Amino acid sequence: MLRDIQVQLDNTEAGQTRLEAALQLSTKFDGAHILGVHALRTPEAILHGSPHGITGYFPEEIIEQQRNNIKEQAAAVQKNFKEKAEAVQVSYEWREHEGREVDIVAFHARFTDLTIISQVKGKFADELEFAGSLLMESSLPILAVPNRKIPKDITKNILIAWDGSAEASRAVRGALPLLKAAKKVILLSVGLPEEGNISQDDISTHLKRHGIQLENRVVESAFPEDVILKTGKEEEIGLIVAGAWGHSRIREMIFGGVTKSLFSNQEFPVLLSH
């Protein structure tokens, strides 16, 4: 069972989608507690990062104005979170901290079952670095959802991208509560004959002992990300479960790879673990 769900909250459209995913899962899992986490940027960080390239000394009144703006935005995000959670009668908690967002989210991931973040908008976006750092920091399951829309039922049909790696194994363990709630689970392995067959026997047996019935598929292809996403569309998949960065993270970020493609697919929620 999912008992604690962390969701990264802000005043963006993507933040609203993350909240929708948290609310959907909370109502499905008997009112799992939602921890809404909001990172407060310091006024100095905002001013130094302004598009005008302003650096150096800032008058106290400008810093104070930025501080008030930050507080007002946080209050608006908190109000929206409270109203949405109370509307569906789920348990919730709000936390806001000043500091580096990835550090704040990673800290709270240590005592929650699942952390919800957004998928990236571009192949070299800052969000990819955020997601990668978060996975490396926590080694706990991360649910990356599209920015604008999530499936009506994330757990109805689930696809496991299985490559036999330790990362995939950790992702499956983290997804067990979701897999148990699914109506259909597809265990998909993709590779080339010369690379050797990926055994599905042991993981299939393990999942069946948990009461999860599987449809096993093995596909020969040099492009696993294409097969995974194509199968997702054909089978009306609501969630993809996969290991993250089984190869070098730097190599995948520069040259591409399965993790990168899944993180930016913007159609299917993806549960990943490293």
Side-chain angles (χ1 to χ4, degrees), residues 32-219:
H33 183 74
I34 299 178
L35 180 65
V37 174
H38 180 66
L40 299 167
R41 294 181 66 191
T42 64
E44 293 81 4
I46 293 173
L47 291 168
H48 281 292
S50 70
H52 303 293
I54 302 173
T55 59
Y57 172 77
F58 298 97
E60 182 58 35
E61 57 268 25
I62 292 179
I63 294 176
E64 189 61 28
Q65 182 183 9
Q66 283 294 337
R67 186 172 287 112
N68 291 334
N69 290 341
I70 291 167
K71 290 179 180 178
E72 288 176 5
Q73 290 177 7
V77 175
Q78 182 182 12
K79 181 175 181 290
N80 177 69
F81 172 53
K82 178 180 178 181
E83 290 175 350
K84 294 271 180 81
E86 290 181 350
V88 294
Q89 299 181 322
V90 298
S91 171
Y92 68 92
E93 179 182 354
W94 169 264
R95 293 194 185 184
E96 61 182 59
H97 300 277
E98 186 177 276
R100 198 165 159 257
E101 189 169 36
V102 66
D103 295 334
I104 293 167
V105 176
F107 171 76
H108 290 90
R110 296 172 191 171
F111 47 86
T112 51
D113 298 313
L114 187 67
T115 293
I116 300 177
I117 65 172
S118 290
Q119 293 175 8
V120 303
K121 297 187 284 289
K123 296 197 177 208
F124 293 93
D126 289 342
E127 297 98 313
L128 185 60
E129 176 60 26
F130 170 83
S133 297
L134 182 59
L135 278 163
M136 297 296 175
E137 281 279 331
S138 69
S139 295
L140 296 168
I142 304 295
L143 178 63
V145 299
N147 290 323
R148 294 186 175 180
K149 186 179 180 181
I150 58 171
K152 291 182 179 178
D153 188 346
I154 292 173
T155 63
K156 182 178 180 181
N157 300 325
I158 299 180
L159 171 67
I160 300 172
W162 180 252
D163 62 1
S165 66
E167 291 82 6
S169 177
R170 281 192 285 270
V172 168
R173 286 200 297 271
L176 274 176
L178 307 177
L179 293 168
K180 289 179 180 180
K183 291 186 177 178
K184 177 168 69 174
V185 177
I186 296 174
L187 186 68
L188 174 66
S189 296
V190 185
L192 294 173
E194 58 266 26
E195 296 173 347
N197 294 325
I198 300 171
S199 174
Q200 295 187 337
D201 295 342
D202 290 334
I203 189 64
S204 295
T205 301
H206 175 66
L207 290 174
K208 286 174 182 176
R209 286 185 179 131
H210 277 278
I212 299 166
Q213 297 304 309
L214 303 164
E215 179 184 332
N216 297 72
R217 295 190 189 181
V218 177
V219 178

